[in-house]
Amino acid sequence: MSKVVLEARSRESKGSVEARKIRRAGRVPGVLYGRSGKAISLDLDAVDLSHSLKTITESTIVKVDLGGKSYDAFVKDTQRNILDGKILHVDFYEVESGVLLRAKVAVHLNGNPVGVREGGVLESPVHDVEVECLPSDLPERIIVDVSTLGMNQSIHVRDLPLSDSIRILSNPDMVVALVKVTREIADDTAEKGTEEASAAAGA
C-alpha cells in the first residue's frame, strides 16, 4: 500500500485566536512532535486531511511534507468539533527509519465461522495488540480468518498471522476470537440428552 502524503505548512503564530483564523481559512492547526522532543507547529488543508484520515489506522505511518522536508509519522491524536465532527487540531509523532518502535495494531476478523452457521455466536474480546518492529514492517491492521472456527473453538494472540520480524508484546494467551454456544443450543442439547437417556432406560 502506498504511503499517505500530507502537505503541511509551518506556522509561527500560536494560540486560540490564531487557530480560529487558520480554521476559517479551511485549514487545520497541528503539531509534529519530533524524536528529540522538539515540537513543530504546522497546519494542513482541512479537506485533504479529512479524506486521508478515513483511509488510515492508528498504526499507519504517514509522510508529512513540510516545506520540502519529509517526516514519517503517526497520527497520534485528533480533536473534533462535537457538533459537526470537523477536525479542530491534529498531533503527529515522528518515527525514525531503522529504529524499533512499539505500536498498537488493530485486529480485524474476516469470514463467517462454521460455528456461527451452526447457531453459535462469534465474540472478539481483543480489538488490538501491541507489537514491536521496525517502521517498515509495521502492519496497518492484522486480518484474522475465522471462517474455520467451530463451536467452542477460539483463536489466541499467539495464533495471529505475523511475520518473524514482528514481536508481539501483548499476552499471547489472550483470546482474539471465539465461537460460543448459545443458551438455546445448550438447552436443546441438554433436552436431547435427557430424552435419549429416558429412551435407553425404557428399553
Side-chain angles (χ1 to χ4, degrees):
M1 183 177 179
S2 60
K3 187 173 293 184
V4 173
V5 178
L6 296 172
E7 301 287 342
R9 299 187 314 199
S10 179
R11 60 185 176 93
E12 298 298 330
S13 301
K14 302 177 183 179
S16 57
V17 174
E18 183 63 24
R20 285 195 291 270
K21 289 181 180 179
I22 291 172
R23 296 183 190 111
R24 284 197 297 269
R27 301 185 67 80
V28 177
V31 177
L32 170 66
Y33 294 96
R35 301 184 302 273
S36 61
K38 180 181 178 181
I40 302 174
S41 296
L42 46 77
D43 61 68
L44 311 93
D45 182 83
V47 175
D48 289 344
L49 177 62
S50 181
H51 286 332
S52 297
L53 291 181
K54 293 177 182 178
T55 65
I56 67 176
T57 68
E58 289 185 16
S59 58
T60 300
I61 297 177
V62 302
K63 186 176 291 294
V64 180
D65 191 339
L66 182 60
K69 185 175 181 180
S70 294
Y71 301 85
D72 286 340
F74 290 122
V75 178
K76 295 302 293 183
D77 185 46
T78 56
Q79 298 174 22
R80 293 178 180 269
N81 187 309
I82 60 174
L83 298 178
D84 57 20
K86 290 183 179 180
I87 304 171
L88 299 177
H89 191 276
V90 59
D91 287 336
F92 298 96
Y93 183 79
E94 185 185 5
V95 299
E96 183 176 4
S97 177
V99 177
L100 290 173
L101 58 80
R102 293 185 176 187
K104 287 188 176 181
V105 182
V107 176
H108 290 253
L109 307 185
N110 185 47
N112 185 22
V114 173
V116 170
R117 297 199 296 271
E118 293 174 348
V121 175
L122 176 65
E123 294 189 354
S124 54
V126 172
H127 300 291
D128 57 55
V129 294
E130 187 176 12
V131 303
E132 181 181 67
C133 63
L134 294 174
S136 57
D137 295 324
L138 183 66
E140 291 191 33
R141 59 182 61 83
I142 301 172
I143 306 297
V144 181
D145 182 9
V146 297
S147 58
T148 61
L149 270 185
M151 203 77 72
N152 285 327
Q153 291 184 338
S154 59
I155 296 175
H156 298 78
V157 167
R158 61 175 175 271
D159 304 317
L160 293 177
L162 296 174
S163 68
D164 295 336
S165 60
I166 301 174
R167 185 164 75 96
I168 297 180
L169 302 178
S170 298
N171 187 337
D173 295 325
M174 289 195 304
V175 176
V176 173
L178 73 156
V179 177
K180 294 184 67 174
V181 176
T182 62
R183 181 167 183 173
E184 290 78 5
I185 294 178
D187 291 343
D188 289 344
T189 301
E191 184 178 345
K192 183 177 180 180
T194 301
E195 293 175 350
E196 291 176 349
S198 298

